[in-house]
Amino acid sequence: MPTIDCRNSSPLKEIVAVKSERSGGAGGSEGDSTFGKRRLTFDAAAGQDSPTSTPTKLKSLRGCRNSSPNSPLDGSKEDSGKRLPSLCRSPVKRLHDSVDRKQNWNPSDPGQMSAVKEALHVSTAPQTVVCREDEQKRILEFCKTCLEQEKAGSLYVCGCPGTGKSLSMEKVKQQVVDWARDEGLQPPNVITINCASLTNTTEIFSKIADKHQQKKKTSPLQHLRDIYSQKQQSSDSKMMVIIADELDYLITRDRAVLHDLFMLTTFQFSRCILIGIANAIDLADRFLPRLQSLNCKPLVVTFRAYSKDQILRILWERLMELPYIVFQSQALELCARKVAAASGDMRKALSVCRNAVEMLEAEMSKSSSSLSSSVGEATDQQTPPDLEVFKRQQNITVTFQVRIDHMAAALSKTFRSPVVDTIQSLPQHQQIILCSAAKFFRGKKKDTTIEELNKSYVGVCKSAQIPPVGILEFLSMCSVLSDQGLFKLVGQSRDDKLKSVTLKVDGSDITFALQGVRFFRNCLQ
Amino acid sequence: MGRDKEKEKQRQKRNPSEEVLNLLRSRLCNPNFIFRLFSDSPESNYSKLRFIISSSITEASNNSILLLGPRGSGKVAVLDLVLGDLLQEYPDAISVIKLNGLLHNDDISAFKEIARQLCVEHQLLFSKMASFDDNSQFMIAMLRECGLAHKTIAFVLDEFDLFAQGKQKLLYSLLDAMQSVTSQAVVIGVSCRMDADQLLEKRVRSRFSHRKLLFLPPSKEDIERLLDHLLALPLDSSLPHKYAAEFNGKLKATLADARFKQIIDTYLNSNFTVNHLMRFLFQAVSYMDLESGFLSLENFKTALSSIQRQPKMECIRDCSIAELYLLVCMRRLEVKEQNSYNFHSVMTEYKSIHDSFKTSDYYSRNVCLRAFEHLLQREIIRFTDTRGSSQSIDFRPVKLLISSAELHEGLKSYHSCPAMLLKLMDH
């Protein structure tokens, strides 16, 4: 029984659950199996509708100029409401068919290569935002309620970076305006402010007041307060939706600005719907305690970090629009697992995929070795390859795809810190200094002076029968090491020897990096 | 005029070694020439960097990359080489904005500098009165315009780790602008701290594409290739052919000599960045004998010893015996845990040594006082109460400014050091 994500109860997952129950154990020995395996069993069980149309033609280089996470999406105006149900009916089936019909990818064709890279770029916003339907629905419902009742309200969206907050907000913005127009209500004014671009935290009020056609006499905040405390004369005044991105830039020491902003929604005749976006989950509790006493705490919508399945699904959605197979499914699964385990950040996953594509490109330009050697090459990966599926896929697809070894290399480049490499490539005396520092700081000591370190260094050199360098060179080597971020030299004493030294890398990192040399191994035991 | 030219030619014929000297020195000072050697291999940093920037030009995509490496390993040199080559290959398709973390640490001044450089590049008028808001709006508008015109803007951020202090607003705005499709930009950060990307805030780090290029010091084979490339004369230049061939032959013999390899190894043991090696080679080339016109092993040896000077030990070598006795006495006092001593206590110690060991060098108090004053003037010892007092020189506390290891080394290399002194140092 594959583990279903209870939190994300989108229609797709429900259908998946039903189907798996029917077909009984859809290859789910390892939790959620890959799309590849599931697709093969569903084909047997499903007696579905005819597949929907095949993916669209290739996009030109500047085709989706207007699409970005921060600009309105086109093509989703009319069928935004209708798209969701059709999505749940046949994405898996569509996936299977489109994969079957896809041709092989020719990486040496620059047009195809650039299309692939563009499909994987962070700035290309997809037509449909998948895996966030639940959160979008909640935000949309909230806005609808506020608009219908003509009441003010506040909402707080939080989540780690790269979880699709700004992207979803763009979509919801459009949906709200369309819905209001459909229902015959007055479509609201929408302003988006990125608080990181404000010079002064109080500028946010002037930006909001600008929309209200402020008279120049009072300060913006006062003006807004005045407007919202009186009943509006004209009956056709619009509601205002304020979306404040990166809200934590507004936090000052006395928290006045943030407070005033949220208090704007508490006035009797207030007409603004405030939506704040930030990373901290408990921003409302920590910085706005007074709101609770007034019983107007903002509603909190949390965008959780993406799980492995969600990442995999989003990647497949992006790649589905291309008419050829680019990645082997194991490679994508490896990427999704690793990124989900690390941070759940979608941008990282996309960047790793692009890196892997570039590695394939580099490999192709270097040599023209055949694929048969790739099976033997697959030795340094995180997950062992499934040899049967691998061979079967080899029979199906003949030419080049991004394989697991490319993906593993791209992942290690992204996730590995360069500390070990740097230490291994240091010159000999600097390595001896690091080794003596590691030995010195093994106990409870946290910092020491350069003079003490020099004594320890001379001792290590004597035991290796290498002549130690003089104090001047020792000082310059210590400053080079501190430049690189391995040491930290603190102290304003005039005499350089009395400056204090701390080690900034872990002792175990040093031990690991130097374990190839027998002398250091013995020394650091 | 003609006669001057003839004289010049004659002088060159007699002494091509001067021309060779000039040629070699100018090569060693030109980073383009040095790093051009490594640019042909596909695994090198040059080709990787070039691939990334040129793919941004040809595919109209955004990218960001960090160049990391110790100081003097050629990060900015390789970057300049790549940008120069790309400017030649695609003229008008790239414009470079350079910022430095030491100069433009503040967000306000950084945006001002960006706006100013953009204005200069595109021949617009720059107003010093523009506010921070205006400058950032201008930058975003220019990014959009350049994106429409298919022109890539390359932002080079030197001392990247200094930009990562504070609220990181500049980094956030730059990397955020790269998330939109309308812009076509590359952000290249150069830093000597290996953990520069750990210093970024999590929002900024999420937008950064995590590409890092490590500039590690060259391996032994690379160093040999580099030496050959830099020091070998071209055979088809204005120099006489026979001379150039002979020079190259002698050079090859020197480089293959085991002693030379040992010299290079000793030198590079402490620091083997390319910059460091260049300094050594420059010194060696400057010692070239102009009469014979060839580089020899002696040049390299002299260069090594002149670079690895120990000034304090040379000071010791120039001291007189009386001064050495005083220094040894002070050292012995320090060993006896008597950390503050003055001339009077030093003389007491000297006397006690003389009484116990019966040395032949016994100097009178006046002579010792004179020696003491000499040591003070040479800054081998120093008064600890720097405010100056009215006490006489006998009783003011002093301290040693050289360490015991240096003193020991200096005594060992002294030309006629009495054996007594060494014995005294060890007890």
Side-chain angles (χ1 to χ4, degrees):
Chain A
M1 185 67 160
T3 55
I4 307 295
D5 257 347
C6 319
R7 334 173 265 220
N8 206 350
S9 59
S10 63
L12 168 67
K13 289 287 178 165
E14 282 163 11
I15 301 256
V16 162
V18 165
K19 278 190 182 163
S20 65
E21 271 162 340
R22 232 194 297 156
S23 58
S29 57
E30 30 151 19
D32 280 306
S33 45
T34 68
F35 269 90
K37 288 186 186 154
R38 212 194 267 142
R39 131 172 63 98
L40 293 172
T41 47
F42 283 154
D43 190 30
Q48 283 287 330
D49 334 291
S50 57
T52 50
S53 59
T54 43
T56 57
K57 60 184 187 331
L58 277 173
K59 286 190 218 155
S60 75
L61 209 56
R62 285 263 144 212
C64 44
R65 179 185 303 172
N66 287 329
S67 69
S68 87
N70 297 329
S71 63
L73 296 166
D74 48 16
S76 63
K77 285 185 190 157
E78 292 81 22
D79 47 23
S80 59
K82 303 174 203 152
R83 199 103 154 102
L84 287 171
S86 72
L87 196 60
C88 80
R89 215 181 314 142
S90 57
V92 172
K93 179 78 173 145
R94 198 161 58 141
L95 194 61
H96 169 239
D97 282 327
S98 43
V99 164
D100 249 359
R101 279 188 209 171
K102 280 186 183 172
Q103 311 122 18
N104 299 319
W105 178 44
N106 183 12
S108 41
D109 179 9
Q112 294 189 358
M113 178 64 83
S114 59
V116 168
K117 284 197 185 160
E118 189 173 346
L120 287 175
H121 200 275
V122 183
S123 52
T124 24
Q127 293 292 343
T128 54
V129 178
V130 294
C131 299
R132 288 297 178 209
E133 293 95 354
D134 206 30
E135 286 89 352
Q136 284 179 18
K137 208 159 50 153
R138 278 181 74 189
I139 302 177
L140 192 56
E141 290 303 322
F142 171 78
C143 292
K144 282 183 193 172
T145 335
C146 285
L147 280 178
E148 273 169 359
Q149 301 172 358
E150 294 216 350
K151 248 179 29 158
S154 58
L155 179 72
Y156 174 60
V157 173
C158 61
C160 293
T163 42
K165 300 185 293 287
S166 305
L167 189 61
S168 309
M169 285 319 299
E170 285 306 314
K171 192 121 196 287
V172 169
K173 213 163 67 169
Q174 205 46 51
Q175 284 177 353
V176 163
V177 173
D178 295 337
W179 174 83
R181 211 173 291 139
D182 287 345
E183 292 285 316
L185 298 171
Q186 270 217 330
N189 276 337
V190 183
I191 46 172
T192 317
I193 306 173
N194 192 326
C195 303
S197 61
L198 302 170
T199 6
N200 215 342
T201 44
T202 45
E203 256 185 55
I204 188 171
F205 297 120
S206 37
K207 289 209 175 171
I208 303 176
D210 277 343
K211 281 255 178 173
H212 276 287
Q213 280 116 24
Q214 181 203 5
K215 304 180 277 276
K216 293 298 176 187
K217 291 222 187 104
T218 49
S219 77
L221 179 56
Q222 198 54 41
H223 175 74
L224 287 170
R225 281 189 179 146
D226 292 337
I227 291 187
Y228 290 146
S229 9
Q230 309 157 6
K231 191 157 169 62
Q232 289 306 317
Q233 308 302 13
S234 49
S235 56
D236 59 345
S237 61
K238 295 183 170 185
M239 299 279 292
M240 176 173 294
V241 177
I242 307 170
I243 302 180
D245 216 340
E246 314 290 353
L247 202 60
D248 42 347
Y249 274 106
L250 288 182
I251 296 178
T252 51
R253 204 189 295 175
D254 55 351
R255 308 169 194 159
V257 176
L258 201 59
H259 221 278
D260 291 334
L261 189 62
F262 275 90
M263 291 287 278
L264 280 179
T265 57
T266 64
F267 287 109
Q268 197 183 3
F269 296 105
S270 172
R271 300 179 69 77
C272 64
I273 304 173
L274 178 63
I275 303 180
I277 307 180
N279 293 128
I281 292 188
D282 56 350
L283 195 83
D285 297 327
R286 259 196 301 156
F287 291 105
L288 306 168
R290 267 165 57 188
L291 290 183
Q292 180 151 27
S293 57
L294 290 167
N295 204 16
C296 52
K297 257 183 82 168
L299 187 66
V300 176
V301 177
T302 314
F303 276 62
R304 287 209 159 84
Y306 286 118
S307 70
K308 179 206 93 160
D309 297 321
Q310 292 174 323
I311 295 182
L312 204 49
R313 187 161 156 224
I314 295 176
L315 287 173
W316 273 116
E317 286 285 333
R318 279 194 180 225
L319 292 171
M320 230 175 8
E321 294 159 348
L322 302 167
Y324 30 74
I325 312 172
V326 180
F327 287 86
Q328 280 185 352
S329 46
Q330 273 98 350
L332 277 186
E333 183 172 355
L334 176 65
C335 168
R337 273 183 199 265
K338 186 78 197 251
V339 173
S343 56
D345 187 343
M346 198 60 220
R347 289 188 185 115
K348 218 173 227 183
L350 289 172
S351 147
V352 166
C353 289
R354 283 182 73 203
N355 256 350
V357 169
E358 280 169 14
M359 294 210 150
L360 177 69
E361 207 179 333
E363 182 188 302
M364 275 202 46
S365 60
K366 213 195 315 186
S367 71
S368 54
S369 56
S370 66
L371 250 195
S372 54
S373 61
S374 74
V375 181
E377 260 176 333
T379 47
D380 49 28
Q381 314 144 19
Q382 263 81 357
T383 59
D386 191 353
L387 220 46
E388 272 69 36
V389 181
F390 213 75
K391 280 187 190 156
R392 202 171 357 153
Q393 291 220 328
Q394 287 231 12
N395 286 336
I396 292 177
T397 65
V398 173
T399 52
F400 307 97
Q401 289 180 349
V402 177
R403 300 186 302 272
I404 282 198
D405 47 338
H406 296 130
M407 192 59 85
L411 280 169
S412 76
K413 246 177 51 168
T414 312
F415 282 104
R416 193 169 61 167
S417 81
V419 167
V420 170
D421 274 338
T422 327
I423 297 181
Q424 280 174 345
S425 64
L426 285 177
Q428 189 187 40
H429 277 281
Q430 292 185 12
Q431 282 178 338
I432 298 181
I433 296 180
L434 270 184
C435 171
S436 54
K439 249 175 101 164
F440 202 84
F441 288 115
R442 230 180 235 176
K444 291 228 186 88
K445 270 182 164 281
K446 283 302 157 202
D447 62 359
T448 180
T449 60
I450 289 198
E451 187 126 36
E452 299 285 316
L453 194 62
N454 192 16
K455 285 193 192 143
S456 159
Y457 162 75
V458 167
V460 172
C461 275
K462 281 211 175 109
S463 69
Q465 284 157 0
I466 304 177
V469 296
I471 186 76
L472 284 179
E473 281 213 45
F474 183 78
L475 275 173
S476 72
M477 283 199 279
C478 281
S479 60
V480 165
L481 284 173
S482 92
D483 259 349
Q484 295 191 322
L486 297 166
F487 271 179
K488 188 160 147 174
L489 286 178
V490 177
Q492 285 101 3
S493 63
R494 272 187 300 170
D495 195 0
D496 282 332
K497 294 189 203 140
L498 295 176
K499 283 198 182 149
S500 78
V501 178
T502 20
L503 201 56
K504 279 194 91 167
V505 283
D506 214 11
S508 48
D509 278 340
I510 301 180
T511 321
F512 177 73
L514 293 176
Q515 67 186 4
V517 181
R518 188 159 41 116
F519 166 67
F520 289 124
R521 238 199 339 255
N522 296 339
C523 187
L524 286 170
Q525 244 156 26
Chain B
M1 199 55 177
R3 239 190 307 166
D4 284 333
K5 264 198 187 168
E6 274 198 24
K7 267 197 184 168
E8 186 74 33
K9 272 197 187 160
Q10 278 189 354
R11 195 155 26 117
Q12 275 192 356
K13 270 203 205 140
R14 264 181 287 139
N15 218 350
S17 46
E18 272 187 19
E19 200 186 315
V20 168
L21 190 63
N22 282 343
L23 175 70
L24 289 179
R25 283 207 275 221
S26 62
R27 270 188 191 175
L28 289 171
C29 294
N30 183 6
N32 267 359
F33 187 81
I34 301 172
F35 289 101
R36 177 67 68 183
L37 175 69
F38 297 123
S39 63
D40 46 0
S41 104
E43 284 301 314
S44 69
N45 284 331
Y46 171 86
S47 17
K48 285 187 203 166
L49 189 61
R50 192 192 166 121
F51 173 69
I52 290 179
I53 303 184
S54 61
S55 76
S56 164
I57 297 179
T58 50
E59 294 168 12
S61 60
N62 297 325
N63 260 323
S64 51
I65 189 171
L66 259 190
L67 305 179
L68 301 175
R71 286 196 196 277
S73 38
K75 306 181 287 284
V76 175
V78 169
L79 179 65
D80 284 339
L81 209 60
V82 168
L83 287 175
D85 287 346
L86 285 176
L87 273 171
Q88 276 186 346
E89 196 179 325
Y90 305 101
D92 280 345
I94 199 174
S95 66
V96 182
I97 308 281
K98 291 199 176 172
L99 291 175
N100 194 315
L102 290 167
L103 297 170
H104 312 122
N105 208 352
D106 197 17
D107 290 323
I108 300 182
S109 50
F111 271 108
K112 196 162 164 181
E113 181 66 21
I114 292 179
R116 189 188 70 82
Q117 289 193 18
L118 280 172
C119 287
V120 165
E121 282 270 334
H122 299 266
Q123 280 118 20
L124 300 167
L125 279 178
F126 172 68
S127 137
K128 288 195 196 152
M129 292 294 132
S131 70
F132 174 76
D133 236 351
D134 293 338
N135 284 335
S136 56
Q137 297 293 330
F138 176 64
M139 180 183 93
I140 296 179
M142 280 303 288
L143 277 173
R144 201 173 27 229
E145 287 301 318
C146 287
L148 288 175
H150 290 283
K151 191 164 173 176
T152 308
I153 303 188
F155 290 95
V156 177
L157 300 174
D158 227 339
E159 314 287 347
F160 187 76
D161 42 308
L162 293 176
F163 279 114
Q165 293 168 352
K167 277 202 165 181
Q168 304 181 4
K169 265 193 190 177
L170 171 70
L171 290 177
Y172 178 83
S173 340
L174 274 182
L175 290 173
D176 203 30
M178 308 233 315
Q179 304 272 303
S180 73
V181 181
T182 54
S183 58
Q184 194 175 337
V186 188
V187 172
I188 305 164
V190 178
S191 173
C192 63
R193 278 189 70 152
M194 291 303 177
D195 57 345
D197 62 333
Q198 304 297 326
L199 296 170
L200 296 173
E201 227 188 2
K202 59 178 180 323
R203 272 184 289 238
V204 181
R205 197 173 344 146
S206 161
R207 285 170 167 82
F208 175 67
S209 84
H210 290 277
R211 275 180 230 246
K212 293 186 272 248
L213 273 187
L214 283 186
F215 278 77
L216 297 172
S219 63
K220 284 227 157 79
E221 296 87 20
D222 282 339
I223 291 183
E224 282 172 21
R225 272 179 63 202
L226 190 62
L227 286 172
D228 203 35
H229 172 72
L230 287 170
L231 297 174
L233 294 177
L235 289 172
D236 54 351
S237 68
S238 58
L239 300 166
H241 184 91
K242 209 172 61 136
Y243 167 67
E246 204 180 337
F247 184 93
N248 286 348
K250 283 215 166 142
L251 182 70
K252 240 195 177 107
T254 314
L255 291 181
D257 196 346
R259 286 174 294 174
F260 176 79
K261 287 206 206 303
Q262 202 187 19
I263 292 178
I264 286 277
D265 280 344
T266 350
Y267 181 67
L268 293 178
N269 246 348
S270 56
N271 185 354
F272 50 33
T273 51
V274 177
N275 199 4
H276 207 64
L277 183 62
M278 290 306 121
R279 257 186 252 168
F280 173 65
L281 288 179
F282 193 87
Q283 284 248 329
V285 163
S286 308
Y287 281 124
M288 186 170 92
D289 187 13
L290 286 176
E291 288 298 320
S292 67
F294 297 117
L295 271 180
S296 68
L297 194 61
E298 296 309 314
N299 300 135
F300 291 101
K301 276 195 189 153
T302 336
L304 185 67
S305 56
S306 80
I307 283 189
Q308 286 188 338
R309 283 178 55 209
Q310 302 269 11
K312 296 242 164 112
M313 272 173 41
E314 286 170 15
C315 256
I316 301 278
R317 238 176 281 157
D318 293 335
C319 285
S320 67
I321 304 274
E323 289 160 9
L324 288 179
Y325 262 103
L326 286 180
L327 288 173
V328 170
C329 290
M330 284 189 219
R331 178 69 204 146
R332 285 172 65 95
L333 284 176
E334 261 185 15
V335 169
K336 289 187 197 167
E337 304 277 335
Q338 200 174 326
N339 274 332
S340 104
Y341 36 84
N342 52 21
F343 180 66
H344 190 76
S345 47
V346 172
M347 282 310 291
T348 326
E349 173 76 15
Y350 184 45
K351 228 173 168 184
S352 73
I353 291 180
H354 182 68
D355 289 337
S356 54
F357 287 108
K358 304 270 188 300
T359 60
S360 58
D361 306 308
Y362 185 63
Y363 299 99
S364 70
R365 192 186 169 91
N366 282 339
V367 173
C368 286
L369 191 57
R370 190 67 68 82
F372 191 74
E373 281 171 3
H374 281 170
L375 287 176
L376 278 172
Q377 280 164 359
R378 312 248 303 283
E379 295 257 327
I380 302 183
I381 61 180
R382 191 170 67 173
F383 287 126
T384 44
D385 52 349
T386 42
R387 302 265 180 85
S389 66
S390 52
Q391 279 181 323
S392 78
I393 201 176
D394 286 17
F395 295 104
R396 283 171 70 182
V398 295
K399 73 171 181 186
L400 268 178
L401 284 182
I402 66 173
S403 67
S404 74
E406 285 170 331
L407 186 55
H408 207 97
E409 286 295 320
L411 285 177
K412 272 202 258 187
S413 62
Y414 196 76
H415 51 87
S416 56
C417 175
M420 177 61 54
L421 278 175
L422 284 171
K423 206 165 72 163
L424 287 173
M425 272 292 286
D426 290 332
H427 302 293

